[in-house]
Amino acid sequence: MSCYRFVFMPEQTFRYVTELTECIKVKSSDEDTNDSSEFVKFFPSFIWAVRDFTLKLKIDGKDVTGNEYLEFALKLKTGTGRKENDYNLPRECIKKFFPSRMCITFPLPTTTEDLSCLDSLKPADLSNEFLKVTDNFCKFVFQDSNVKKLKDGIPVTGRVLGNLAKTYVDTISSGAVPCLENAVIAMAMIENEAAEKEGLEVYQSGMEKLKDSFPLEQKDVSSEHQRLSCMATQTFMKRSFKDTDGKNLKSLEENINELFDEYLCQNKQASKRRCEDVLSSLSAPMVKNLKQGYYAKPGGYGLFSKDLVDIVKKYNSQTNKEVKAVEVREEFLKQKSVDSKAILQADEKLTEKDKKIMQQKEEKALLKQEVKAKDKKQQQLEEKMETERQTNEERMRQMKEKMKEEMKLQREEADRAMDSKLREQADLLEKGFKEKADRMSQEIEEFKRRNDEAQIIKAKEFAAILDNSNRRHEETMAMMMRHHEERMEAILQS
């Protein structure tokens, strides 16, 4: 069969490819520059699917594959005239823009007589050859073809594709030329905000479940906070991309820390209520005795002191793991010290000297309780700061992994594009197009320079994000310590 009869893609279809340079911009620069050399980085595979194919795949009498004939159809003509240039330009664009190319030919799905009722045919009525080709095509699309990606190698999910399509349609409707860089920035804003919200929901839903078990030891609350904070960051990292200034991750981090403080506060309130309930129950007989004047007699101070020691002992055994146990006990003893002083002064069994000794002993015990309460607050602060340190350490690890993955995607994108350009240059030299190959050498050098520059910029951006995150962590730790010192000072002055 003559190779000239075997042109199954209309020439005007070829020419549509040349218009891509006018319909798509890669960068948002105001300059009217041709950045089509960047297309190969993120353009998908070029799949040429031919339906109802009845010809034979032959070139000069030799059997060839669909892919081989596609490359044959993309061969350039020698010469520099207008006719040759018009013929070569769309073919050069296809080779230049698309990193890989494939041709698949579908035979007629059934007999010519049944073509008019295709919709009602059963699979058994279809051609075996057609089903075989269709199966191979589907396997290629679902298993072998690369995932659609945006600039910098960012994978496109169905959700992102929907938003991307809307962005392009809105841009075209406004009369502007779609710009991939702007589209990626717009997608990043949408996805990163959604990723932040999703991460926060993971944390909050987990902590709400834990809240049902309040009151708990602070270490238990902190441990779950740490686990859920890690999960929230993972959720954010999985969906987010190009969070260049770390704005959304910072917001997620701040919201989680605010919620953590709220949950700690709610746990303390629950603990305080429980401790107060325990004390109320244990001290009920004492309150009754006070009302009935049971301790208003000689030796009453000794009876009161013994009852108080018994209450505190039982209280300690029942609330030894409560975060507010020491604080509530201190407040209780302060309140009972008023009754204790009155009973002490009224006890006729004791001498003035005994009363003075007992008074000093009580004051020393109260001071000891204050010290214990302060030590407990210091311990809780240290536990919280350690939790923050470990959480930040894990967050930094995840950030570095994310950055490493993004750098890898960017390199792979550049390497794939460079490999395509080098193959194309070698093909031009082999076919005798030395002048075109020389021009391509310049393009490759410029392409390499821009890629190296992009890698340096990306590395600097990531370093700045890590530095900012570390600085925020240090500021948080300093603020926690400052607030604690202020509270301790207020307690000492009260």
Side-chain angles (χ1 to χ4, degrees):
M1 159 180 235
S2 169
C3 61
Y4 295 102
R5 287 180 58 201
F6 192 80
V7 179
F8 45 77
M9 176 181 272
E11 199 64 28
Q12 70 252 29
T13 306
F14 266 143
R15 298 191 187 284
Y16 290 146
V17 181
T18 65
E19 297 175 7
L20 288 172
T21 57
E22 301 170 12
C23 299
I24 301 175
K25 286 178 65 179
V26 176
K27 299 184 180 297
S28 59
S29 172
D30 292 332
E31 298 177 15
D32 189 18
T33 56
N34 185 347
D35 50 14
S36 60
S37 62
E38 297 279 319
F39 288 178
V40 69
K41 278 187 175 183
F42 49 84
F43 267 29
S45 298
F46 183 89
I47 303 177
W48 189 359
V50 186
R51 56 171 285 186
D52 300 341
F53 186 75
T54 57
L55 303 177
K56 291 183 179 180
L57 283 172
K58 287 181 179 290
I59 299 175
D60 294 332
K62 181 182 176 182
D63 290 335
V64 294
T65 64
N67 290 348
E68 287 171 335
Y69 195 84
L70 174 57
E71 295 306 312
F72 170 77
L74 295 176
K75 282 179 65 175
L76 305 181
K77 288 184 178 181
T78 56
T80 56
R82 180 176 178 178
K83 184 178 179 181
E84 287 79 13
N85 285 338
D86 288 346
Y87 179 87
N88 289 340
L89 181 59
R91 289 162 174 79
E92 286 181 290
C93 287
I94 291 175
K95 290 183 174 185
K96 183 180 178 182
F97 297 164
F98 298 94
S100 63
R101 300 176 289 274
M102 174 187 180
C103 175
I104 187 162
T105 56
F106 291 86
L108 287 170
T110 185
T111 61
T112 53
E113 291 81 5
D114 290 336
L115 285 176
S116 60
C117 54
L118 273 178
D119 291 347
S120 61
L121 293 181
K122 297 177 181 178
D125 298 324
L126 298 176
S127 159
N128 287 334
E129 184 61 23
F130 174 80
L131 292 173
K132 180 182 176 182
V133 173
T134 301
D135 185 54
N136 290 337
F137 177 69
C138 290
K139 282 181 180 177
F140 171 79
V141 171
F142 292 117
Q143 297 176 15
D144 301 327
S145 62
N146 292 321
V147 173
K148 181 176 175 60
K149 294 180 179 179
L150 296 175
K151 190 171 176 289
D152 293 335
I154 300 163
V156 176
T157 63
R159 181 179 55 245
V160 172
L161 182 61
N163 287 327
L164 193 63
K166 184 179 184 304
T167 301
Y168 285 157
V169 170
D170 290 345
T171 303
I172 294 169
S173 298
S174 70
V177 175
C179 171
L180 190 65
E181 188 172 64
N182 289 344
V184 171
I185 291 171
M187 290 305 97
M189 288 179 63
I190 293 171
E191 285 298 292
N192 292 345
E193 286 177 6
E196 179 189 335
K197 183 179 178 183
E198 204 172 296
L200 195 61
E201 285 174 353
V202 166
Y203 176 82
Q204 195 164 11
S205 63
M207 290 299 284
E208 283 296 316
K209 290 178 183 176
L210 183 71
K211 184 179 169 182
D212 294 335
S213 303
F214 284 177
L216 296 167
E217 288 188 74
Q218 181 168 305
K219 66 179 182 179
D220 294 332
V221 181
S222 296
S223 176
E224 187 66 359
H225 155 76
Q226 197 171 336
R227 186 184 74 83
L228 291 169
S229 181
C230 174
M231 287 177 61
T233 304
Q234 285 177 339
T235 301
F236 174 82
M237 295 290 186
K238 186 177 180 181
R239 182 167 179 177
S240 68
F241 63 91
K242 291 187 79 67
D243 186 22
T244 310
D245 54 2
K247 171 188 167 186
N248 293 100
L249 181 59
K250 176 187 174 184
S251 179
L252 174 64
E253 179 186 330
E254 289 174 346
N255 286 328
I256 284 176
N257 285 338
E258 284 180 13
L259 284 174
F260 180 42
D261 286 341
E262 288 178 16
Y263 285 118
L264 283 178
C265 184
Q266 290 171 20
N267 186 57
K268 288 176 181 177
Q269 289 170 352
S271 177
K272 185 178 180 181
R273 287 193 297 270
R274 184 180 176 194
C275 290
E276 288 174 342
D277 289 344
V278 170
L279 269 179
S280 178
S281 175
L282 291 173
S283 63
M286 174 182 276
V287 172
K288 183 179 178 181
N289 287 339
L290 283 167
K291 287 180 179 179
Q292 294 175 351
Y294 175 73
Y295 303 112
K297 60 185 178 182
Y301 178 76
L303 295 172
F304 178 83
S305 297
K306 180 180 180 301
D307 287 348
L308 189 61
V309 168
D310 288 343
I311 289 170
V312 171
K313 186 176 181 180
K314 290 176 182 177
Y315 171 81
N316 290 341
S317 67
Q318 293 180 37
T319 63
N320 64 320
K321 292 185 178 182
E322 293 293 336
V323 294
K324 282 289 187 177
V326 174
E327 191 175 320
V328 171
R329 183 181 64 203
E330 180 196 6
E331 185 62 29
F332 173 76
L333 291 175
K334 278 184 180 179
Q335 292 172 358
K336 293 307 170 191
S337 68
V338 176
D339 296 323
S340 179
K341 286 178 183 177
I343 294 169
L344 177 63
Q345 294 303 319
D347 195 336
E348 297 176 355
K349 186 178 179 180
L350 298 173
T351 66
E352 288 301 319
K353 183 179 179 181
D354 290 336
K355 290 178 182 180
K356 189 174 182 180
I357 292 171
M358 293 298 180
Q359 180 70 30
Q360 290 174 346
K361 190 176 179 181
E362 268 196 34
E363 289 173 355
K364 188 181 288 186
L366 285 173
L367 183 61
K368 187 177 180 180
Q369 286 300 317
E370 286 181 8
V371 172
K372 282 185 177 181
K374 183 180 177 182
D375 290 344
K376 186 66 176 179
K377 288 179 182 292
Q378 182 66 30
Q379 178 192 340
Q380 289 173 356
L381 172 69
E382 289 172 359
E383 286 178 0
K384 187 179 179 184
M385 291 180 73
E386 177 60 20
T387 298
E388 171 61 24
R389 187 193 66 76
Q390 292 178 5
T391 302
N392 182 70
E393 195 175 89
E394 174 59 22
R395 187 188 304 115
M396 293 292 287
R397 186 194 68 77
Q398 291 185 37
M399 286 171 65
K400 288 175 182 178
E401 284 294 317
K402 176 75 171 178
M403 292 170 181
K404 184 179 177 182
E405 178 63 21
E406 287 194 8
M407 292 286 282
K408 178 186 173 187
L409 289 172
Q410 191 180 56
R411 281 196 303 271
E412 287 177 349
E413 175 193 73
D415 290 345
R416 187 170 58 252
M418 181 63 77
D419 183 57
S420 177
K421 288 179 181 292
L422 290 172
R423 286 199 313 271
E424 182 58 26
Q425 184 189 38
D427 185 62
L428 288 171
L429 284 171
E430 184 182 341
K431 300 296 193 303
F433 295 94
K434 186 177 184 304
E435 187 178 339
K436 290 180 182 292
D438 290 341
R439 284 201 301 271
M440 200 159 187
S441 290
Q442 297 174 7
E443 181 185 306
I444 288 171
E445 284 302 313
E446 177 61 19
F447 183 78
K448 185 176 182 301
R449 184 192 66 77
R450 286 201 301 268
N451 285 334
D452 291 343
E453 190 177 88
Q455 287 283 319
I456 292 171
I457 291 172
K458 179 77 80 174
K460 287 181 178 178
E461 287 177 353
F462 286 161
I465 292 172
L466 292 174
D467 286 344
N468 289 337
S469 182
N470 269 325
R471 186 176 67 254
R472 288 197 305 273
H473 170 65
E474 290 169 1
E475 289 172 353
T476 299
M477 299 289 270
M479 183 177 65
M480 289 167 64
M481 181 61 76
R482 187 168 62 253
H483 287 173
H484 174 71
E485 290 172 351
E486 289 172 356
R487 286 196 293 268
M488 289 297 100
E489 186 177 346
I491 289 171
L492 291 174
Q493 291 176 354
S494 60

